[in-house]
Amino acid sequence: MIKRISTEDLKPGMFVSSFDLSWFKHPFVSTRLGVVRDQGLINELKKLGISHVEIDTDLCTADEARPSPEIRPGKAARERLQPCPSEGDPERSARFARKLFDHAMTATRSLMDSVRAGKPVRTEEFQPLVARLVDAVNHNENVLHIILSLKSFDDYTYTHSLNLAALGVLLGKSMNLEQADLERLGLAGILHDVGKCLVPREVIVKPGPLTEEEFNLVKAHPALAHGYLSRQNDIPGEVLRAVLEHHERLDGSGYPRGLADGAIHPYSSIISVVDVYDALTSDRVYRPRMSPHAALRLLFNQRGQTFPEAMVDTFIKRLGVYPSFSVVQLRNGCYAVVTRQTPGRPLFPEVMVFCDREHRPLVKRRLDTWRLCGELARKEYEIERPVEPGELPPPMLMGIA
């Protein structure tokens, strides 16, 4: 039996099934905290300003020191993610990004396993993750770029969902969306491809061209995901729309319903833009990835046709002509990785030089290309061209963002 009580009346041994506070404002993986084992947790809830909680009286235990094994909360329920560090601490930012990435991979694998087994999706497990992504886009965007750079070294199946959550939040913030919208976009990014778990794996990972029948199976994954997730009552309708419509296109050429223009939800359009960008810049079984610059150019060529023009323009402006962690070659022949955008100067980002024209390693040094090329007229430090990953993959420079 669920009963709502004051936090003042909460005692060790009671089973907290829920409390009313936005996931962005609390550090727990779930609002279902389980059995309260000590006064410390109660004090923390009070410190967060939580005045009431819901308890499950059937799961409360009389023995406060030893909650029964079958109702003892799992480790994930008490797991905490630290607050996002400041932008001025690059080493801590890198460590935080790696930890957040590892947490996301664990949660996403659990998500996919649950769907394959026909179990309900525990959306509360993703709430702290999404909250930290929103926090990063508000206070330390370098964390997002570091996370995105890690996708080359882990399984695309899982990193793609995290990347879409990060990029969706980034684009949503650039469009001046509210906090709640950013949280829903992050969740939509995590959930958008769960329908692929319901399609035969040999079709999803097939390295060659798909037959018409196989392509139809793949095209069913948005509807399969929507049908599966709709059976739960804790997933916002806008998120379900994004899951269903992320392959719809402005000109009606998409699937599964062939929607066009105004019939497509804005969340769906945001997820579709970042979905294409991340797919193009990732290695797939049937083709190598392309550079971020080339992927943005392809999106630019489709603006106003398959994707909303203003949305694509905003996305390109936010990422920059040469996105962070992409490789470029300077006019002097040296290769560098982009480390930071220069506000208002999209052609002149900050870079880190790491090898010469013969690919021989150099002592890494940071360059402000705008200051060198603009103020000091050192044209040899201008960016000559973007470099495709197949020619020279980006180095792992996690500490220099």
Side-chain angles (χ1 to χ4, degrees), residues 39-59:
Q39 185 65 35
L41 179 59
I42 298 173
N43 293 340
E44 187 168 359
L45 293 174
K46 291 178 180 178
K47 189 181 296 185
L48 290 169
I50 299 169
S51 59
H52 290 79
V53 298
E54 290 186 349
I55 64 170
D56 191 328
T57 57
D58 295 331
L59 296 178

Side-chain angles (χ1 to χ4, degrees), residues 297-371:
R297 185 170 63 243
L298 189 150
L299 278 173
F300 180 83
N301 291 336
Q302 295 182 6
R303 57 200 272 279
Q305 302 171 44
T306 54
F307 303 110
E309 182 172 342
M311 190 176 291
V312 172
D313 288 346
T314 299
F315 186 56
I316 293 174
K317 182 178 180 181
R318 187 55 179 262
L319 285 188
V321 176
Y322 305 106
S324 296
F325 287 93
S326 60
V327 175
V328 295
Q329 187 173 28
L330 308 180
R331 284 193 173 184
N332 63 13
C334 292
Y335 292 89
V337 61
V338 177
T339 59
R340 195 187 306 271
Q341 302 300 315
T342 303
R345 309 290 180 183
L347 296 177
F348 298 94
E350 290 185 14
V351 303
M352 182 72 77
V353 173
F354 64 93
C355 70
D356 65 15
R357 68 171 67 249
E358 304 300 330
H359 297 185
R360 292 175 298 209
L362 296 172
V363 175
K364 298 180 180 66
R365 56 195 178 103
R366 191 191 301 270
L367 301 178
D368 180 343
T369 61
W370 171 243
R371 181 173 180 275

